[in-house]
Amino acid sequence: MTLITGSADQTAKLWNVETGAQLFTFNFDSPARSVDFAVGDKLAVITTDPFMELNSAIHVKRIAGDPADQSGESVLILKGPQGRINRAVWGPLNRTIISAGEDAIVRIWDTELTSISNLQTGKLLKESDKETGHKKTITSLAKAADGSHFLTGSLDKSAKLWDARTLELIKTYVTERPVNAVTMSPLLDHVVLGGGQDASAVTTTDHRAGKFEAKFFDKILQEEIGGVKGHFGPINALAFNPDGEQDHASL
């Protein structure tokens, strides 16, 4: 089993989970922001931040079966989004990459294989509509278990559900706090949003002022159905147990 990590030290690394051994290091000229394995683990997507004169970028790496054969070269580099790309994940059947970040635009890029050794040009296929899409930085992106749709969270105090193939906006969930993290139940039609006012902007010691709660919404009806409280700072990460029976939040 292989793990991939991305770091502000301008590298991404492959690890053997069973032994803890470092298998390979991908070197960049700017911090690595997000990582995602393709289905089948033969490709990985890594995003890098703007740094000095460099723009943000999306790098596609081929993952070798034998670490001794691993190459550091990118088989595809995608550029264009303004500002930091906070998340990039693989779309259905590894034929696309879905990205989102500081410019509030969701993009779908073409990465379909044209032969065993080559990828297509990585052309931009779709962009979210500025009228119906997010208005501020997209902080998070989570795919459904079947990969057919995905959820984005934004500092504009909303989360949006999108079709992973067409980029059609399906649902919008509105809350009263900036959204830092989103997740979906693998079993039920539940969407969970986490976030809260930045701690530096909270002028009282009352944790309720920052609204540091994980809010549950009905995925279909878009109505808030519950929530959990307890954090004393913004929620930055959320995850359901794979069996769908538990939800975890983290600062």
Side-chain angles (χ1 to χ4, degrees), residues 29-204:
D29 295 319
S30 58
R33 173 63 49 178
S34 72
V35 295
D36 189 42
F37 273 124
V39 175
D41 297 342
K42 293 183 179 180
L43 293 169
V45 59
I46 305 166
T47 68
T48 53
D49 286 353
F51 185 71
M52 304 294 284
E53 300 299 320
L54 296 174
N55 293 325
S56 57
I58 301 169
H59 306 258
V60 176
K61 305 287 188 180
R62 193 176 299 281
I63 306 301
D66 185 343
D69 298 327
Q70 184 62 53
S71 168
E73 295 297 315
S74 296
V75 294
L76 185 66
I77 300 177
L78 308 175
K79 297 181 179 180
Q82 297 299 309
R84 189 171 65 201
I85 302 169
N86 286 325
R87 288 286 283 142
V89 300
W90 291 94
L93 303 177
N94 302 335
R95 292 177 176 174
T96 57
I97 287 173
I98 303 165
S99 70
E102 284 187 330
D103 66 0
I105 303 295
V106 180
R107 293 177 173 86
I108 296 182
W109 307 83
D110 182 10
T111 57
E112 188 173 2
L113 290 167
T114 55
S115 70
I116 294 177
S117 59
N118 296 307
L119 289 167
Q120 287 187 351
T121 58
K123 65 180 180 181
L124 179 62
L125 297 177
K126 297 180 184 296
E127 286 188 340
S128 57
D129 183 79
K130 292 183 178 180
E131 293 299 319
T132 58
H134 286 294
K135 302 300 187 289
K136 293 184 179 181
T137 294
I138 297 172
T139 56
S140 50
L141 190 160
K143 292 189 296 185
D146 64 2
S148 65
H149 54 285
F150 64 94
L151 184 68
T152 54
S154 171
L155 297 183
D156 66 7
K157 304 180 182 180
S158 76
K160 293 179 181 290
L161 193 69
W162 310 83
D163 186 285
R165 295 181 184 274
T166 66
L167 200 54
E168 177 187 358
L169 179 61
I170 302 172
K171 301 287 183 181
T172 296
Y173 311 93
V174 179
T175 183
E176 67 272 22
R177 62 187 59 80
V179 178
N180 296 338
V182 295
T183 191
M184 289 177 279
S185 168
L187 295 180
L188 303 173
D189 286 330
H190 292 169
V191 166
V192 186
L193 316 182
Q197 186 177 358
D198 189 275
S200 64
V202 178
T203 58
T204 174

